[in-house]
């Protein structure tokens, strides 16, 4: 049914639930599981592009990549504990999380996208809710949204 399943991860509870579902589906289908995280640096500061100096951007990039790698490490450990072995990791920088997810799915030839309904708390939670909506509206493959 599915050969490649991409799950979008941001470290939130909803993303963890999406991961659990994606791993189970990937196992049943003997599919490759792509663990995906987008580093959205502009979400860290509203004035990121206008006011953040190049030196500070380098620091933000490093912190974002470090956090993203930790999220993917945890997800890979979870998938392996659940018995899944066909795991690919992907991390990118993007100003638009939804566009990054869609581009990664197209590039990898994904059969199914799995996303959580909401991401991180506060203002970013509203953003992540809109990410699930944007991905669902524009994806070329089926999208499963997990609560």
């Amino acid at each position: 049914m599915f050969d490649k399943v991409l799950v979008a991860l941001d470290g939130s509870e909803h993303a963890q639930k999406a991961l659990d579902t994606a791993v189970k589906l990937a196992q049943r289908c003997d599919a490759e599981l792509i663990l995906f995280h987008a580093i959205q640096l502009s979400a860290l500061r509203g004035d990121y592009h206008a006011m953040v100096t190049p030196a500070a951007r380098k620091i933000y990039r490093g912190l974002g990549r470090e956090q993203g790698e930790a999220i993917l490490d945890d997800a890979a450990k979870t998938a392996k504990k659940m018995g899944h072995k066909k795991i690919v990791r992907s991390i990118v920088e993007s100003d638009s999380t939804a566009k990054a997810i869609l581009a990664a799915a197209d590039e990898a030839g994904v059969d199914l996208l799995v996303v959580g309904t909401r991401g991180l708390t506060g203002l970013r939670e509203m953003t992540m809710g809109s990410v699930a909506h944007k991905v669902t509206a524009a994806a070329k493959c089926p999208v499963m949204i997990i609560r």
Side-chain angles (χ1 to χ4, degrees):
M1 181 187 279
F2 300 114
D3 293 319
K4 291 185 181 183
V5 176
L6 184 147
V7 60
L9 303 165
D10 65 0
S12 69
E13 182 180 330
H14 287 276
Q16 182 62 46
K17 290 177 183 178
L19 173 65
D20 292 343
T21 300
V23 171
K24 290 173 188 173
L25 277 168
Q27 284 178 296
R28 285 187 183 163
C29 298
D30 193 31
E32 179 178 87
L33 178 65
I34 301 170
L35 307 174
F36 181 82
H37 177 77
I39 303 168
Q40 189 177 357
L41 297 173
S42 59
L44 299 172
R45 288 184 57 148
D47 62 352
Y48 180 81
H49 292 291
M51 301 299 291
V52 177
T53 66
R57 286 180 191 193
K58 186 175 181 179
I59 292 168
Y60 281 132
R61 276 193 185 95
L63 292 172
R65 183 156 295 279
E66 187 177 303
Q67 180 185 25
E69 291 293 346
I71 288 168
L72 295 182
D73 286 345
D74 290 345
K77 286 176 190 171
T78 297
K80 286 177 184 172
K81 276 185 185 176
M82 293 174 72
H84 197 67
K85 293 176 178 46
K86 294 181 181 179
I87 300 168
V88 175
R89 297 163 51 110
S90 180
I91 187 167
V92 299
E93 283 183 30
S94 177
D95 282 336
S96 169
T97 301
K99 285 181 183 177
I101 293 168
L102 294 165
D106 286 347
E107 185 178 314
V110 167
D111 303 306
L112 177 69
L113 284 167
V114 182
V115 297
T117 54
R118 298 271 181 224
L120 303 173
T121 59
L123 182 59
R124 290 184 67 191
E125 182 174 343
M126 292 187 310
T127 303
M128 283 306 293
S130 69
V131 167
H133 176 76
K134 289 175 186 173
V135 167
T136 303
K140 295 176 184 172
C141 66
V143 178
M144 179 179 285
I145 301 175
I146 306 299
R147 287 185 182 197

